[in-house]
């Protein structure tokens, strides 16, 4: 196998670097070692330090260039130029550049002091002060708000949409999640638009101002593909670098994995999908016959500070012809819902009680027929077994 250069030092890059048997250089970007980004809320909450989320170090064949950033790709010479003036030649190049936070047009090109995203370890380690406003009620925003509340920070969560985590949760699950955040001390505002970021405050659409020592922007992320576009690689409708089933880009010597990649019209933005792609690419680079990536089935399973446990997979909204079964316990603050078509599980969402999630997700991922038991039994702690 020719020498491999990986651009990016996140979870997908670290996984691939550990699994390929070839001299490998990783142009990591961030200063420290790779870490598990999924666990950043625990660091923000002060529940554990960065050493807890550090990933295993790659082997002796890997040269990890921390704190160095790639600035350009020369596809003709097959080299990557870096911001320290060096160049790295490659036989195979892998882009694992991840995604960049979406910054809303609420400023004049420069973010006020105290305003940051929630994407990196540095973001999680920065002290939040006594009062914080989180803008965005998706997965990242909910995670940040829960972590800040556990830390003892007075926290307000502002969401422009009608409900929290609307892409992953149905209305019932979202309502239970809101109740759990409120119980932690988070002040939640939905259907609420932010007009402007001010020094020490967030101004809402009605001109009301929320005081804040820290503002966390959690408005989503987009594939980070500037290097790829500048090199003439094809990008898709999501903005990600288009890859085929062997995770090759439009240049046969360059592959892409993780949040920056678009496969079959989809950019997943999930750690689980990024790791699956890294595993497949390791097989591809090793020359394994038939190695191919066929897409991922998105599964969200989170334990947020609080604790707030939730899982969502597949379709959470029923279409005509689907059956839905729900169990809600207001006293315990739990909610479980499944969507079924015929004898197949199409999706589900669980908040507060994940006792049955293992059986349910295995059945869903394998696309197996459901057991011949009443649907309600699927939501018991053992999944009906």
């Amino acid at each position: 196998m020719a020498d491999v250069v990986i651009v990016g030092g996140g979870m997908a890059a670290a996984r691939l670097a550990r699994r390929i048997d070839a001299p490998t250089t990783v142009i990591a970007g961030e200063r420290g070692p790779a870490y598990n980004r999924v666990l950043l809320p625990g660091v923000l909450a002060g529940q554990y330090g960065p050493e807890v989320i550090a990933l295993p170090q790659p082997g002796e064949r890997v040269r990890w260039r921390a704190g160095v950033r790639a600035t350009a790709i020369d596809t003709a010479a097959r080299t990557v130029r870096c911001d320290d003036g060096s160049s790295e030649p490659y036989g195979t190049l892998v882009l694992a550049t991840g995604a960049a936070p979406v910054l809303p047009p609420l400023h004049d090109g420069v973010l006020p002091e105290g305003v940051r995203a929630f994407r990196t370890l540095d973001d999680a380690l920065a002290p939040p002060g006594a009062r914080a406003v989180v803008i965005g009620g998706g997965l990242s925003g909910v995670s940040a708000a829960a972590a800040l509340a556990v830390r003892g920070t007075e926290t307000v969560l502002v969401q422009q949409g009608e409900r929290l985590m609307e892409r992953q949760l149905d209305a019932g699950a979202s309502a239970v999640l809101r109740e759990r955040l409120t119980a932690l001390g988070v002040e939640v505002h939905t259907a609420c638009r932010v007009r402007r970021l001010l020094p020490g405050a967030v101004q809402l659409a009605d001109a009301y101002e929320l005081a804040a020592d820290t503002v966390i922007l959690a408005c989503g992320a987009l594939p980070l593909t500037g290097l790829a576009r500048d090199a003439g690689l094809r990008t898709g409708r999501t903005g990600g670098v288009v890859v085929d089933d062997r995770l090759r880009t439009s240049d046969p010597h360059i592959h892409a994995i993780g949040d920056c990649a678009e496969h079959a019209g989809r950019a997943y933005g999930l750690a689980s999908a990024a790791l699956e792609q890294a595993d497949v690419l390791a097989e591809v680079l090793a020359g394994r016959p038939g190695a191919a990536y066929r897409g991922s089935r998105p599964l969200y399973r989170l334990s947020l500070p609080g604790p707030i446990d939730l899982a969502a997979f597949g379709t959470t909204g029923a279409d005509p012809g689907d059956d839905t079964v729900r169990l809600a316990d207001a006293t315990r603050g739990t909610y479980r819902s499944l969507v079924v078509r015929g004898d197949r599980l199409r999706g589900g969402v669980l908040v507060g009680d994940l006792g049955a999630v293992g059986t349910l997700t295995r059945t869903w991922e394998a696309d197996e027929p459901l057991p011949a038991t009443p649907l309600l039994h699927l939501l018991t702690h053992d999944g009906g077994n």
Side-chain angles (χ1 to χ4, degrees), residues 18-274:
R18 290 197 303 272
R19 290 180 178 262
I20 56 179
D21 186 20
T24 303
T25 297
V26 179
I27 304 171
E30 291 192 54
R31 295 189 300 271
Y35 53 86
N36 186 339
R37 196 179 303 274
V38 176
L39 299 179
L40 285 177
V43 177
L44 180 60
Q47 295 179 325
Y48 37 73
E51 69 282 354
V52 175
I53 70 171
L55 295 174
Q57 294 294 311
E60 295 179 354
R61 288 178 175 269
V62 178
R63 184 166 61 109
W64 192 276
R65 302 195 63 193
V68 177
R69 296 185 180 275
T71 58
I73 302 168
D74 186 332
T75 57
R78 290 199 213 170
T79 59
V80 179
R81 293 197 295 273
C82 302
D83 61 358
D84 64 353
S86 64
S87 291
E88 295 288 349
Y90 64 85
T92 297
L93 177 63
V94 180
L95 300 179
T97 49
V102 173
L103 301 180
L106 302 173
H107 54 90
D108 297 323
V110 178
L111 293 178
E113 184 178 354
V115 179
R116 65 177 187 263
F118 182 46
R119 293 287 299 178
T120 69
L121 182 57
D122 286 344
D123 295 330
L125 289 172
R131 296 170 299 183
V133 174
V134 179
I135 301 175
L139 178 59
S140 180
V142 167
S143 300
L148 290 166
V150 167
R151 186 170 181 154
T153 299
E154 182 182 324
T155 304
V156 179
L157 175 60
V158 178
Q159 159 72 335
Q160 183 169 317
E162 296 290 333
R163 53 190 173 87
L164 301 176
M165 291 185 64
E166 52 194 357
R167 292 185 179 180
Q168 295 87 20
L169 306 182
D170 63 16
S174 182
V176 173
L177 175 60
R178 179 170 184 160
E179 291 170 2
R180 290 206 157 212
L181 286 172
T182 301
L184 279 181
V186 178
E187 183 180 328
V188 180
H189 296 272
T190 53
C192 183
R193 188 171 61 84
V194 173
R195 174 187 291 176
R196 193 183 317 168
L197 301 179
L198 303 171
V202 173
Q203 187 181 73
L204 302 180
D206 60 2
Y208 182 77
E209 294 183 7
L210 298 169
D213 300 307
T214 295
V215 177
I216 291 184
L217 301 175
C219 307
L222 292 174
L224 192 56
T225 55
L227 273 175
R229 291 196 306 272
D230 291 346
L233 301 182
R234 182 186 168 205
T235 57
R237 63 178 183 83
T238 68
V241 184
V242 174
V243 296
D244 61 16
D245 288 355
R246 294 177 67 80
L247 297 163
R248 287 176 304 200
T249 69
S250 52
D251 183 314
H253 302 290
I254 304 178
H255 298 256
I257 57 174
D259 292 358
C260 71
E262 177 183 310
H263 175 265
R266 187 165 191 175
Y268 290 94
L270 285 173
S272 57

Side-chain angles (χ1 to χ4, degrees), residues 314-379:
T315 299
T316 57
D319 293 327
D322 293 341
D323 293 313
T324 302
V325 56
R326 294 190 179 95
L327 282 178
D329 187 332
T331 302
R332 297 175 59 207
T334 62
Y335 177 90
R336 290 161 284 174
S337 175
L338 298 179
V339 177
V340 178
R341 175 171 293 177
D343 65 350
R344 306 287 165 152
L345 183 59
R346 298 191 62 227
V349 56
L350 301 89
V351 179
D353 185 349
L354 306 188
V357 71
T359 298
L360 293 172
T361 54
R362 284 193 298 271
T363 300
W364 168 72
E365 288 178 327
D367 197 26
E368 297 173 344
L370 293 168
T373 58
L375 290 179
L376 200 61
H377 289 184
L378 294 173
L379 294 179

